[in-house]
Amino acid sequence: MTKVDFLVVGSGIAGLSYALKLCEFYKNKNYHPKICLITKDEPFESNTRYAQGGIAAVIDAKDSYEKHIQDTLIAGSHINNEEVVKLVVENGPERIRELINWGAQFDKSDDGDYKLAKEGGHSDHRILHFKDVTGQEIQRALLDAIKKYDNVEILQDYFAIDLITQHHLGEDVTKYRKDTQCYGVYALNKTSGEVENILSKVTLLATGGIGQVYKTTTNPSVATGDGIAMTYRAKGHVRQMEFVQFHPTALYQRGHEGNAFLITEAMRGAGAILRNSKGEDFVKKYDERGSLAPRDIVARAIDSEMKKEGKEHVWLDASVIDESELKDHFPSIYSHCKNIGIDITKDYIPVAPASHYLCGGIVVNTKAETSIKNLLACGEATCTGLHGANRLASNSLLEAAVYAHEAFETAVRNIASTEWMDNIPEWNKDGTTVPEELVLINQSRSDLQRVMSNYVGIVRSNERLKRAFQRTGLIYAETEDLYKKTVISQPLCELRNMITICYLVISGAKERHENIGLHYSIDYENQ
């Protein structure tokens, strides 16, 4: 059993920013709390690392908070929480300055000003970026900064299985209970194979997204919705899971499934144009903003065009961008495409939508508090109300940074009145055996991904959702039977989490009887 003051689950911008703030706050104080950050892979592997485009903020005098707020509300179909939108936009510049102070670099012009890009749905140039690897640069800077502190321990290859609550003390915990508390997590030490109790006074979930529930995604393999699923099992509140954003332009490679290489929206912001097989600038048929319309509109336009033409992709024409700008601003995309025989300075890039970002998740207030006491959450795992029905490009890293700060302030405020719960039972593994066929887990995961991609994608229908619900139910029953008699493993736990996520996405989609933002059903086209 391990006892820590602050437990962080996840090593992206949200978790690392929060942990860094704690380290700095207590640096010159008499009390030096123990901070533990666990990550199921190595610390550099997170959704943050794969964010190419950048981070949106109002730092240009010609821009304004009001314009950024309105752009966010318009993209989110005005079902955003306006208080939250205001909070994130107005606090964004200060959080950017902190990232810079921690060592994150963003591209500058020769005169020393930051180069600001423009992406879909934005009315001004306000995207700070570092080439086309912004997330990777932020992740590097945060990890370098946190290594300077000796009171934070990073445990890699630790998989958080479940939140510890009164349920584990034999009490009845339901979603209606008002005093549910989090005492820490049960975590699988992947090296030893043992499940450990990690008890904490305050726990932060910063576990990222759900991309892996679809067969093609821009997310890394770790994005299996673990934090959301754990919170749901602990009877915490979750909402708006139907709003899954598909990035319009992932690199298409025939026969390739799984992790797709992202072609950042910043490329369209720089002038690249989406074209169909006839070479037409087809998005203008769907929206006057063309290739720079919000992502939900562009993704549906591509989906529609692909179905009309019977094609598996459309084309992105970046040849209209100056060659030197292409190579300077998008070096990783240029290099990646070059390696597979595509010269983006003259060749069209084959692209298709891929699962990218979740706008729903764990419900939190403006202080990053969940419905479970002493459990905080921030980043993509949460539903803050910022994004509404559709996320505005490059608002996600901004949201994570702002809410990490709110979580930090809440944690520091609450820590003095919180104690560890001592009588937590050890993980019960009685009656389990090592599985003989891991192929069963892998097959169920693949089946689940195909169900979601085929029936709960960009365009949905009541019949598709009904089929998805039924087939997910069969996979759930098989997996629970396997779980009861099998030794705990990361693949099995991830599969259980993914099934929970699929259930929540499908249920949310079934309950929303309107077309809005990222949820579009052919049954409500004429309403």
Side-chain angles (χ1 to χ4, degrees):
M1 181 182 295
T2 301
K3 288 184 177 180
V4 300
D5 295 284
F6 301 99
L7 174 62
V8 185
V9 186
S11 62
I13 182 175
L16 288 173
S17 296
Y18 168 83
L20 261 174
K21 284 176 173 288
L22 289 173
C23 290
E24 291 180 343
F25 179 80
Y26 288 105
K27 182 179 179 180
N28 297 316
K29 291 183 169 53
N30 293 328
Y31 177 56
H32 295 285
K34 186 173 182 181
I35 304 164
C36 178
L37 186 150
I38 68 172
T39 177
K40 66 178 179 179
D41 205 297
E42 55 96 12
F44 203 65
E45 188 69 0
S46 72
N47 270 16
T48 297
R49 173 184 175 181
Y50 295 89
Q52 290 181 343
I55 183 167
V58 177
I59 63 170
D60 191 305
K62 298 189 293 293
D63 198 3
S64 70
Y65 290 148
E66 185 55 34
K67 286 199 290 184
H68 192 178
I69 289 169
Q70 287 305 313
D71 290 345
T72 302
L73 294 173
I74 291 168
S77 300
H78 290 277
I79 67 168
N80 326 59
N81 181 324
E82 291 195 37
E83 177 190 1
V84 170
V85 176
K86 190 170 185 288
L87 169 75
V88 173
V89 168
E90 293 185 355
N91 284 275
E94 179 60 28
R95 305 286 80 83
I96 296 289
R97 282 189 283 273
E98 286 175 343
L99 290 173
I100 293 169
N101 289 338
W102 284 329
Q105 300 181 57
F106 299 104
D107 290 338
K108 293 183 177 181
S109 58
D110 292 339
D111 60 8
D113 291 335
Y114 286 107
K115 291 181 178 179
L116 300 176
K118 185 178 182 181
E119 295 183 358
H122 288 274
S123 59
D124 215 323
H125 289 73
R126 64 170 70 99
I127 316 298
L128 291 106
H129 55 85
F130 182 76
K131 307 297 181 182
D132 54 356
V133 289
T134 309
Q136 182 175 306
E137 168 59 17
I138 291 173
Q139 186 91 356
R140 177 208 61 77
L142 293 176
L143 283 171
D144 285 350
I146 208 164
K147 289 174 184 175
K148 299 173 184 176
Y149 295 91
D150 57 12
N151 64 323
V152 57
E153 181 179 21
I154 297 179
L155 299 177
Q156 70 179 56
D157 295 323
Y158 269 72
F159 184 90
I161 301 170
D162 269 324
L163 300 174
I164 301 172
T165 68
Q166 291 99 321
H167 167 76
H168 299 95
L169 301 176
E171 298 181 27
D172 187 29
V173 175
T174 72
K175 65 179 179 180
Y176 303 107
R177 183 167 174 164
K178 301 296 184 183
D179 65 342
T180 304
Q181 294 189 49
C182 177
Y183 305 124
V185 302
Y186 287 114
L188 172 66
N189 180 333
K190 291 164 57 179
T191 302
S192 69
E194 295 297 317
V195 177
E196 301 177 12
N197 295 12
I198 303 180
L199 304 185
S200 61
K201 294 181 179 179
V202 178
T203 300
L204 175 85
L205 292 179
T207 51
I210 68 162
Q212 287 295 322
V213 303
Y214 289 88
K215 66 181 182 181
T216 305
T217 178
T218 61
N219 292 184
S221 61
V222 295
T224 51
D226 305 321
I228 300 170
M230 284 194 294
T231 302
Y232 182 76
R233 284 196 296 273
K235 310 305 179 184
H237 297 174
V238 174
R239 73 177 174 212
Q240 294 188 342
M241 293 290 289
E242 67 272 25
F243 294 132
V244 180
Q245 187 177 81
F246 287 76
H247 198 288
T249 54
L251 179 66
Y252 171 82
Q253 294 175 271
R254 182 181 294 277
H256 176 79
E257 293 181 358
N259 297 2
F261 184 79
L262 181 64
I263 307 295
T264 176
E265 188 162 323
M267 188 169 279
R268 280 177 281 137
I273 299 168
L274 285 161
R275 301 189 186 279
N276 58 20
S277 62
K278 300 172 186 175
E280 298 169 337
D281 181 1
F282 68 89
V283 184
K284 287 185 176 178
K285 295 187 294 183
Y286 301 86
D287 191 286
E288 63 182 12
R289 290 166 290 187
S291 296
L292 275 179
R295 290 178 179 176
D296 58 332
I297 295 171
V298 177
R300 280 197 299 275
I302 293 173
D303 182 73
S304 175
E305 206 71 12
M306 283 163 41
K307 288 174 178 173
K308 284 180 184 177
E309 296 191 327
K311 304 290 186 182
E312 294 185 339
H313 66 85
V314 294
W315 301 97
L316 184 66
D317 176 12
S319 66
V320 295
I321 304 173
D322 179 75
E323 182 174 338
S324 61
E325 181 183 352
L326 262 182
K327 293 180 178 178
D328 179 60
H329 190 168
F330 309 104
S332 72
I333 294 176
Y334 175 80
S335 175
H336 185 91
C337 289
K338 190 75 171 177
N339 288 337
I340 60 172
I342 302 170
D343 183 348
I344 66 173
T345 65
K346 58 184 179 181
D347 300 330
Y348 288 179
I349 308 168
V351 294
S355 170
H356 185 61
Y357 190 87
L358 177 67
C359 293
I362 304 164
V363 178
V364 294
N365 62 16
T366 55
K367 301 302 179 184
E369 295 170 315
T370 71
S371 58
I372 298 175
K373 188 177 179 182
N374 299 329
L375 178 68
L376 309 177
C378 57
E380 190 177 348
T382 65
C383 181
T384 64
L386 172 67
H387 306 303
N390 175 43
R391 175 177 69 98
L392 181 66
S394 291
N395 265 0
S396 51
L397 293 177
L398 183 72
E399 177 193 45
V402 170
Y403 267 79
H405 179 79
E406 299 303 321
F408 150 73
E409 291 194 329
T410 300
V412 169
R413 186 169 59 249
N414 294 350
I415 193 73
S417 59
T418 307
E419 290 297 330
W420 294 288
M421 177 61 69
D422 287 324
N423 56 335
I424 301 298
E426 297 296 316
W427 180 262
N428 183 4
K429 61 179 181 180
D430 291 346
T432 58
T433 59
V434 176
E436 295 180 4
E437 294 185 286
L438 281 174
V439 68
L440 297 176
I441 297 172
N442 294 334
Q443 184 60 53
S444 292
R445 180 170 174 144
S446 178
D447 290 345
L448 198 67
Q449 291 168 329
R450 291 186 183 281
V451 166
M452 292 299 289
S453 295
N454 292 338
Y455 300 133
V456 201
I458 297 169
V459 177
R460 304 159 178 175
S461 72
N462 291 337
E463 182 59 32
R464 294 177 203 175
L465 294 174
K466 179 182 176 182
R467 288 193 182 190
F469 194 82
Q470 291 172 338
R471 296 184 185 187
T472 300
L474 292 174
I475 299 170
Y476 167 78
E478 293 170 352
T479 303
E480 287 304 293
D481 182 60
L482 190 64
Y483 181 76
K484 290 173 185 176
K485 60 187 181 185
T486 303
V487 168
I488 284 291
S489 68
Q490 179 176 331
L492 180 56
C493 289
E494 284 184 333
L495 175 60
R496 291 185 79 228
N497 289 341
M498 290 168 66
I499 292 169
T500 299
I501 296 301
C502 292
Y503 165 78
L504 291 169
V505 173
I506 296 165
S507 297
K510 287 176 68 178
E511 292 168 8
R512 188 167 290 279
H513 301 160
E514 62 177 338
N515 287 340
I516 185 169
L518 299 165
H519 175 69
Y520 189 90
S521 171
I522 60 175
D523 292 298
Y524 306 111
E525 285 180 325
N526 298 318
Q527 292 187 10

